[in-house]
Amino acid sequence: MQRLTVDSATLGYDRRLIAESLSVEIPDHSFTVIVGPNACGKSTLLRALSRMLKPTVGRVLLDGQSIHGIPAKTVARTLGLLPQSAVAPDGIAVADLVGRGRYPHQRLLRQWSPDDERIVAESMAATGVDTLADRYVDELSGGQRQRVWIAMALAQQTPLLLLDEPTTYLDIQHQIDVLDLCAELHETQGRTLVAVLHDLNHAARYATHLIAMRDGAVIAEGAPGDIVTAELVERVFGLRCQVVDDPETGTPLVVPAARRPRDGRADRVPQGSSAKG
């Protein structure tokens, strides 16, 4: 069994059902990315994995135990979360916010230590925000703030890290910067990362394991090169496309079908063609 799994879970909010009998295993030491159309259950699944949403039926298991039966501080030493649109307290400096990642490791007889200081400094250096340590978070650009939040999650030093749409509101350069950083953390530190992304091409480029969802169900999962086809994209997103090899990485690249001309000329759009199986 993998460290983090969902077992036959029913998920929803009040009386609104999102997913039923949902089972998912997050492969250990993977960079797992969850994709799908709006309102398909991506973020709901991530909330369940992070202990923020309790299934009405079924369980979320962390190391074989129900995650809701484990003390919150114990979970926080194993699993970190970067929520969507995180908001920092007013007037907090970068170093102070990153330092809050050490809270799960504090105890009555073990308060702030030189090790905490070192880990915070290393986390800021790893995310490139060490030169911003004394700046106020609310003064920073969107890309800088996102790196600060990732630094805080790193300082928590958890083997599992969940990220809910970490590239939202960022321009293309900062999106790539953040995803490159996530890939580096996965590759160099062996952490298990789980991210919700909207951009299928980013997901296919960075994920080692992809989960495609629609209407609260998993439609396909596996390595992007094994599952991303024109047929899958149309089934999940309702988008006609071609899937070709990314010239930079060799990973699947989704090319949407062109708009049909309005002048009545013959349809120039390929129907369901794909360069991949």
Side-chain angles (χ1 to χ4, degrees), residues 39-114:
C40 73
K42 303 185 298 294
S43 291
T44 298
L45 172 57
L46 200 77
R47 286 173 61 84
L49 290 169
S50 67
R51 198 176 180 267
M52 294 179 65
L53 179 65
K54 186 175 183 179
T56 55
V57 177
R59 301 176 299 169
V60 176
L61 301 175
L62 178 62
D63 292 330
Q65 302 180 62
S66 170
I67 198 170
H68 291 277
I70 305 173
K73 210 165 185 179
T74 302
V75 173
R77 289 195 290 268
T78 305
L79 187 153
L81 172 67
L82 178 63
Q84 185 180 358
S85 303
V87 178
D90 290 337
I92 190 169
V94 167
D96 293 333
L97 182 62
V98 176
R100 294 194 176 195
R102 300 303 300 157
Y103 170 75
H105 303 276
Q106 307 298 312
R107 299 181 180 87
L108 182 61
L109 299 179
R110 190 241 183 246
Q111 296 299 311
W112 192 262
S113 71

Side-chain angles (χ1 to χ4, degrees), residues 129-167:
V129 298
D130 46 331
T131 58
L132 306 174
D134 297 326
R135 295 271 303 274
Y136 290 117
V137 175
D138 52 15
E139 295 177 350
L140 305 180
S141 69
Q144 289 172 325
R145 283 197 299 271
Q146 198 72 328
R147 282 180 168 269
V148 171
W149 284 108
I150 294 174
M152 188 187 78
L154 287 185
Q156 201 171 327
Q157 284 207 319
T158 58
L160 296 162
L161 181 58
L162 312 183
L163 306 104
D164 192 1
E165 301 185 21
T167 59

Side-chain angles (χ1 to χ4, degrees), residues 216-247:
V218 174
I219 303 301
E221 61 179 312
D226 293 337
I227 68 169
V228 178
T229 63
E231 292 75 21
L232 179 73
V233 175
E234 184 160 12
R235 182 182 177 193
V236 172
F237 293 93
L239 177 70
R240 294 182 307 112
C241 68
Q242 295 187 60
V243 177
V244 300
D245 290 334
D246 185 321

